[in-house]
Amino acid sequence: MIQREDLRVLFVSNMYPSEAHPQSGIFVARQAESLVRAGVDVIVEPIAGSRGERDYFASRRRIRRQVREHRPHVIHAHYGYTQIAVAGMGVGFVVTLYGDDVNGESRGDGQITLKSRLGILATQACGLMARRILLQSEAMRGRMWPLLQSRCVVLGSGVDDTLFAPGSMKEARTRLGIDPGQLVLGFVNSGGQKTKRFDLAEATRDELARRGENAHLLVAERVAASEMPWFYRAADVLLMTSDFEGSPNCVKEALSCGLPIVAVPVGDVPQIVTRPDQGRIVPREPPSLASAVQEIIASRPAARVSLLPESLRASSVANRLIDIYTTACQPE
């Protein structure tokens, strides 16, 4: 069996940070960094993105060159379509699916688009060639074809707990210009997608206001990654109201900063938030969400500590990935 210090992995992702888009796929970059810290040799080949969808096919020449020059033991593809670029390279591959590639993207009326339906079909068909399929939640496993379920592993992204760590709420609010006396509800509105349900977060804030709470909705959208810890430290709770999720990074990052969660049952959040100090999982209605916020505020500790489970730290996830890679390296 290959030792971790000898292991070479080729990362191929259609989302990866660049000068023009520093936030794109940053969790993929962080996963690569955590593997490097664990002693793995990681080569990265970003595809598609600004090059367009044709690069799923055009990139195969670049990937073949990477395989020839670096001789990776395994390829790790990120996102469903990326499998098109890495299949048939003479190297076993694993793929991480993040949500939309299994759940689909919906229109404003909640219906899954035709393009998404075709994308889900392509993702599952390509998955027949993968050695392992890494998913964000058990709910995603239930959406996979029965033929694929035996090779599925639920493994979400880990969190760098050296970056996302508890800190001073007073300093964070001063930095962000927030009234220190307000009740602050954090909300991550990535990409402004309707399925994030910003309307439900607003309704929760309005319900708290009706109850006499001086509630402020602090929205993170296009916030630099280095600034996100300050966002979490400034809030009293993080609201998670999405219709669909896989394993939302913002929930794990918030917990790592000591910020409790008030969430609807979505993705793997009910499996992460399991203790009262971590937060509440409640029905999808403003009164229930508002009551959960008030419960948390009434019982919050004097000082924050990390609430992140050990298994979700970046180092723990990296170790699990290494085990998956070494198994995937073996001849079938």
Side-chain angles (χ1 to χ4, degrees):
M1 184 173 287
I2 297 168
Q3 301 301 309
R4 70 169 59 199
E5 60 268 20
D6 300 321
L7 187 61
R8 293 186 300 279
V9 180
L10 173 59
F11 262 40
V12 180
S13 177
N14 64 4
M15 289 184 68
Y16 205 80
S18 65
E19 188 174 337
H21 302 284
Q23 302 299 106
S24 178
I26 193 163
F27 41 89
V28 179
R30 286 176 176 156
Q31 188 169 92
E33 291 163 3
S34 70
L35 287 163
V36 171
R37 288 195 295 270
V40 177
D41 184 4
V42 180
I43 308 102
V44 178
E45 181 63 48
I47 68 169
S50 61
R51 295 187 177 98
E53 293 183 353
R54 286 181 295 181
D55 199 50
Y56 288 111
F57 298 95
S59 65
R60 288 180 59 84
R61 180 177 297 179
R62 301 196 308 275
I63 294 166
R64 192 171 286 112
R65 184 170 60 249
Q66 292 278 25
V67 169
R68 186 171 57 250
E69 293 177 359
H70 296 282
R71 302 181 63 82
H73 297 103
V74 65
I75 298 174
H76 189 163
H78 295 264
Y79 293 93
Y81 278 141
T82 307
Q83 297 173 102
I84 295 169
V86 304
M89 291 289 169
V91 180
F93 75 89
V94 303
V95 60
T96 294
L97 306 180
Y98 286 95
D100 287 347
D101 34 20
V102 176
N103 299 325
E105 295 182 359
S106 61
R107 303 191 300 258
D109 59 4
Q111 297 298 308
I112 303 299
T113 64
L114 176 60
K115 181 180 179 182
S116 271
R117 291 181 188 278
L118 294 174
I120 293 168
L121 180 64
T123 291
Q124 304 235 29
C126 290
L128 293 168
M129 295 178 279
R131 298 285 180 90
R132 291 290 183 274
I133 301 169
L134 310 184
L135 305 174
Q136 307 301 305
S137 67
E138 287 293 342
M140 288 178 66
R141 189 201 296 269
R143 293 176 179 269
M144 301 301 291
W145 291 347
L147 274 173
L148 297 175
Q149 292 188 4
S150 63
R151 68 186 73 186
C152 291
V153 178
V154 175
L155 183 63
S157 302
V159 175
D160 180 355
D161 55 332
T162 62
L163 174 63
F164 295 97
S168 167
M169 177 184 286
K170 180 180 179 181
E171 184 180 354
R173 292 194 175 186
T174 299
R175 186 184 183 101
L176 299 180
I178 298 171
D179 183 343
Q182 284 186 306
L183 168 58
V184 178
L185 312 174
F187 184 82
V188 177
N189 196 34
S190 56
Q193 297 168 274
K194 290 185 177 180
T195 56
K196 297 297 180 184
R197 293 303 304 275
F198 180 57
D199 62 314
L200 186 52
E202 289 182 307
T204 302
R205 176 204 58 198
D206 295 344
E207 175 65 24
L208 285 163
R210 280 191 288 272
R211 299 181 186 189
E213 301 282 4
N214 181 19
H216 170 67
L217 194 56
L218 176 64
V219 182
E221 190 163 3
R222 298 183 179 89
V223 176
S226 59
E227 291 297 308
M228 282 303 296
W230 294 107
F231 167 85
Y232 297 124
R233 292 166 190 155
D236 290 290
V237 299
L238 180 77
L239 291 180
M240 168 53 63
T241 54
S242 298
D243 287 330
F244 303 103
E245 290 286 350
S247 181
N249 287 310
C250 64
V251 166
K252 293 176 280 191
E253 292 167 355
L255 290 174
S256 194
C257 290
L259 179 64
I261 313 299
V262 171
V264 299
V266 65
D268 70 347
V269 180
Q271 286 73 55
I272 296 174
V273 179
T274 59
R275 308 191 312 261
D277 61 329
Q278 291 177 309
R280 305 287 190 278
I281 308 296
V282 297
R284 190 183 292 279
E285 54 189 26
S288 296
L289 289 159
S291 293
V293 170
Q294 290 181 309
E295 286 178 19
I296 287 173
I297 298 308
S299 60
R300 61 184 169 189
R304 283 183 173 170
V305 296
S306 175
L307 302 171
L308 185 72
E310 178 64 32
S311 62
L312 295 178
R313 300 184 190 279
S315 56
S316 299
V317 172
N319 286 328
R320 285 196 64 193
L321 276 172
I322 291 168
D323 290 340
I324 290 168
Y325 293 154
T326 52
T327 301
C329 287
Q330 307 307 310
E332 289 190 315

